Structures are given as C-alpha cells and as structure tokens.
Amino acid sequence: MPPTRLFLRVKADVLALLHDIPAGRVTTYGAIAESVGVRPRYVARVLATMSDGEAEGVPWHRVVGAGGVISTMQVPGVGERQIALLHREGVRVSERNRIVEFATVFFTPG
DNA sequence: AAAGTGACTGACA
DNA sequence: GTGTCAGCCACTT
C-alpha cells in the first residue's frame, strides 16, 4: 500500500524538525505534533514505520514521550538502542527509562 | 462497513 | 514519586 499524501507530508515535516534538534537535547511527540498539525500518535506512527535505511542519519532518538519517557521501550530492542544513542550525546536516562533533567534538555521544535 | 490497534496524553488515585 | 485509565483518531484488518 502506498502511503497517503498526508502521511508523506507529515513525514517530511517531522524529519525536517528532527534535524533542527541539537545533539544533547530532546523533544516530545506532542511538541512535534503541535508544530506539524497532527496528533501525537501520528508522529509516533511516522517514526515507527521507518525502515532502518530511512532512519539512517535521522536523529529519531531525540524524540521521547511526554515528561521524558522513553516510549520506545514498548518495542523490543528499540528502547535499548535509543538509550544508547542518547547516552552517546550526553543525555542521561534513569533506570526507570526517563530522561534525567528533562526540563533542561527539552527542546521546542519549530 | 465495523472492529481492532497503538514509538501518545492528561487526569486521577 | 509511580501506576492505571479513558479519550483519542488515523490506519489497518
């Protein structure tokens, strides 16, 4: 099934916003969604349906759930990978899978 | 057409 | 601080 036009538009917008997020900072699905004009779940869907190849060079790991939750923990393997990537940028994650000092590393897109 | 499904959120206990 | 839950709505059976 080919993606809908809306999906492609949102995907392009989301990717553009992701590249504006500096290393060491994170944003949320909700914040991106607000900027793009869709629901948070839609943003999540866009990221979740990206292949490894598409994710190449895309800082998808800088997107977390509201409050700094690593929501990708729901997908086996992905959560661990995201945390590793964040650590590499100096973003600490608690053992409860939450961003440490979330308020200070939060970045508002757009 | 109808029911199922979330890489989500905010509210509430 | 943590855990549940209902609402959400586009997408997928």
Side-chain angles (χ1 to χ4, degrees):
Chain A
M1 295 263 315
T4 67
R5 192 175 284 133
L6 170 67
F7 185 93
L8 293 175
R9 195 216 93 208
V10 172
K11 184 172 179 178
D13 289 354
V14 169
L15 292 183
L17 286 178
L18 286 188
H19 287 294
D20 286 341
I21 307 173
R25 309 286 295 282
V26 301
T27 191
T28 66
Y29 294 93
I32 291 177
E34 185 180 358
S35 178
V36 174
V38 296
R39 290 282 167 176
R41 272 202 201 283
Y42 204 101
V43 175
R45 179 177 296 279
V46 167
L47 297 182
T49 55
M50 283 203 305
S51 67
D52 287 9
E54 290 175 309
E56 186 75 24
V58 177
W60 59 270
H61 56 281
R62 310 213 260 248
V63 185
V64 300
V69 190
I70 304 297
S71 54
T72 56
M73 290 304 296
Q74 298 179 48
V75 183
V78 179
E80 290 79 355
R81 191 143 38 96
Q82 177 169 17
I83 292 174
L85 289 168
L86 287 173
H87 264 190
R88 187 180 302 175
E89 300 181 347
V91 177
R92 318 244 309 300
V93 180
S94 77
E95 38 194 290
R96 273 314 246 261
N97 303 317
R98 292 175 146 274
I99 301 292
V100 176
E101 302 279 7
F102 175 63
T104 71
V105 300
F106 177 75
F107 175 82
T108 304

